[in-house]
């Protein structure tokens, strides 16, 4: 069973600060997805990274896939209260298939005004 | 609007009383799945379906049943609910296999007393 560990589990910072959350595994993934879940709602896909070393930007959010495709990071610049939520990474297992998605347990992020 | 709908959103029931949580998607997606989300355990897959009449067990299928008689609907059935099935449940769909972008429903919070 492939595992994805996310760190930190909880993070509370002030508006305007920068932060990075991590998604790590000892397994190689063919691609990796990042979701954000707000209270009372289902997760929403933010981005998929596919190539080792790939960097994708979504406004103030920067996603990077590790060179070896075993890990990923999410960096938020000048965090805003609207960034508050649970951030989940999900690795697409090599070989894919119907059960080929492994979720991390998530990082709970709170941005205080 | 492309969406996954779930009903009910909230349900309190008693041990042993059969219940069904409905899930419907309007995107003509082939793949659908059910997850439960528990504190400290993250998202865990219960069952998934590759297409009509094709279903398979996920990581935590015990105590649950599913059916896929129509492409758009994927109900989750608890024949004899127990307190350890108290959880937040999400239905999700994607264009094809589970490795593609997942569209999640808004969730169903179930309490079994």
């Amino acid at each position: 069973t492939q595992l994805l560990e996310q760190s930190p589990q909880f993070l509370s910072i002030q508006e305007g600060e920068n932060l990075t959350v991590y998604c790590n595994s000892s397994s190689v993934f063919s691609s990796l997805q990042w979701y954000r879940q707000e209270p009372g709602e289902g997760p929403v896909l933010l981005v998929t990274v596919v190539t080792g070393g790939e960097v994708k930007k979504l406004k103030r959010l920067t996603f990077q896939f590790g060179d070896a495709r075993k890990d990923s990071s999410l960096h938020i610049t000048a965090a805003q209260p609207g960034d508050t939520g649970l951030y989940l990474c999900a690795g697409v297992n090599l070989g894919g298939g119907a059960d080929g998605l492994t979720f991390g347990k998530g990082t709970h992020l709170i941005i205080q005004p | 609007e492309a969406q996954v709908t779930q009903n009910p959103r909230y349900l309190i029931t008693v041990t042993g009383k059969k219940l069904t949580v409905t899930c419907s998607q309007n995107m003509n997606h082939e793949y659908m799945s059910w997850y439960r989300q528990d504190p400290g355990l993250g998202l865990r897959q219960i069952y998934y379906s590759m297409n009509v009449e094709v279903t398979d067990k996920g990581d935590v299928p015990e105590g649950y049943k599913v059916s896929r008689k129509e492409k758009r609907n994927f109900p989750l059935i608890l024949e004899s609910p127990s307190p350890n099935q108290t959880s937040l449940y999400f239905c999700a769909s994607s264009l094809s296999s589970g490795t593609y972008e997942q569209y999640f429903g808004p969730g169903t919070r179930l309490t079994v007393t």
Side-chain angles (χ1 to χ4, degrees), chain A residues 36 38 60 80-85 87 111:
Chain A
R36 179 168 67 205
E38 299 185 21
R60 293 174 292 98
Q80 303 293 312
D83 296 327
T84 292
Y87 288 81
I111 309 301

Side-chain angles (χ1 to χ4, degrees), chain A residues 93-107:
Chain A
N93 302 332
L94 291 176
D99 60 347
L101 199 61
T102 299
F103 278 91
K105 294 181 180 178
T107 292

Side-chain angles (χ1 to χ4, degrees), chain B residues 62-98:
Chain B
E62 293 76 22
Y64 304 94
K65 286 176 58 177
V66 293
S67 69
R68 188 91 180 272
K69 293 183 171 59
E70 303 167 283
K71 197 172 188 178
R72 63 182 293 129
N73 296 322
F74 190 44
L76 179 69
I77 303 156
L78 283 71
E79 294 270 4
S80 182
S82 61
N84 65 11
Q85 292 178 298
T86 292
S87 187
L88 180 58
Y89 291 86
F90 289 101
C91 180
S93 72
S94 68
L95 185 62
S96 184
S97 78

Side-chain angles (χ1 to χ4, degrees), chain A residues 33 35 37 40-43 45 86 88 92 96-101 103-105, chain B residues 9 31 35 37 40-41 43 45 48 50 90 97-102 104-106:
Chain A
Q33 303 168 356
Y35 293 80
Q37 183 180 7
E41 299 182 10
L45 181 72
L86 174 66
L88 296 162
V92 177
D99 60 347
L101 199 61
F103 278 91
K105 294 181 180 178
Chain B
R9 292 290 312 276
Y31 179 92
Y35 294 88
Q37 187 176 40
L41 297 177
L43 275 169
Q45 192 179 53
Y48 62 89
M50 294 290 285
F90 289 101
S97 78
T99 58
Y100 285 76
E101 173 180 338
Q102 301 281 305
F104 284 85

Side-chain angles (χ1 to χ4, degrees), chain A residues 8-100:
Chain A
Q9 284 188 314
F10 299 93
L11 182 59
S12 179
I13 63 172
Q14 295 295 124
E15 181 177 1
E17 294 183 13
N18 301 332
L19 66 106
T20 303
V21 298
Y22 300 93
C23 176
N24 295 306
S25 177
S26 58
S27 304
V28 177
F29 293 100
S30 62
S31 64
L32 197 131
Q33 303 168 356
W34 282 93
Y35 293 80
R36 179 168 67 205
Q37 183 180 7
E38 299 185 21
E41 299 182 10
V44 175
L45 181 72
L46 296 174
V47 77
T48 300
V49 284
V50 180
T51 307
E54 181 178 4
V55 176
K56 280 192 174 179
K57 292 190 176 183
L58 188 66
K59 297 183 180 177
R60 293 174 292 98
L61 279 60
T62 301
F63 304 84
Q64 183 162 8
F65 202 13
D67 291 340
R69 291 185 289 135
K70 293 182 179 181
D71 53 81
S72 182
S73 64
L74 159 59
H75 181 79
I76 301 179
T77 303
Q80 303 293 312
D83 296 327
T84 292
L86 174 66
Y87 288 81
L88 296 162
C89 64
V92 177
N93 302 332
L94 291 176
D99 60 347

Side-chain angles (χ1 to χ4, degrees), chain B residues 9-87:
Chain B
R9 292 290 312 276
Y10 303 90
L11 180 60
I12 301 174
T13 189
V14 296
T15 299
K17 186 176 181 181
K18 181 179 178 180
L19 67 92
T20 299
V21 184
T22 64
C23 173
S24 183
Q25 50 92 6
N26 63 0
M27 295 168 281
N28 201 35
H29 284 171
E30 291 186 349
Y31 179 92
M32 297 184 75
S33 64
W34 277 102
Y35 294 88
R36 60 178 290 174
Q37 187 176 40
D38 301 288
L41 297 177
L43 275 169
R44 294 180 293 168
Q45 192 179 53
I46 303 170
Y47 268 95
Y48 62 89
S49 170
M50 294 290 285
N51 213 323
V52 175
E53 302 292 0
V54 181
T55 63
D56 210 343
K57 296 177 181 179
D59 298 319
V60 288
E62 293 76 22
Y64 304 94
K65 286 176 58 177
V66 293
S67 69
R68 188 91 180 272
K69 293 183 171 59
E70 303 167 283
K71 197 172 188 178
R72 63 182 293 129
N73 296 322
F74 190 44
L76 179 69
I77 303 156
L78 283 71
E79 294 270 4
S80 182
S82 61
N84 65 11
Q85 292 178 298
T86 292
S87 187

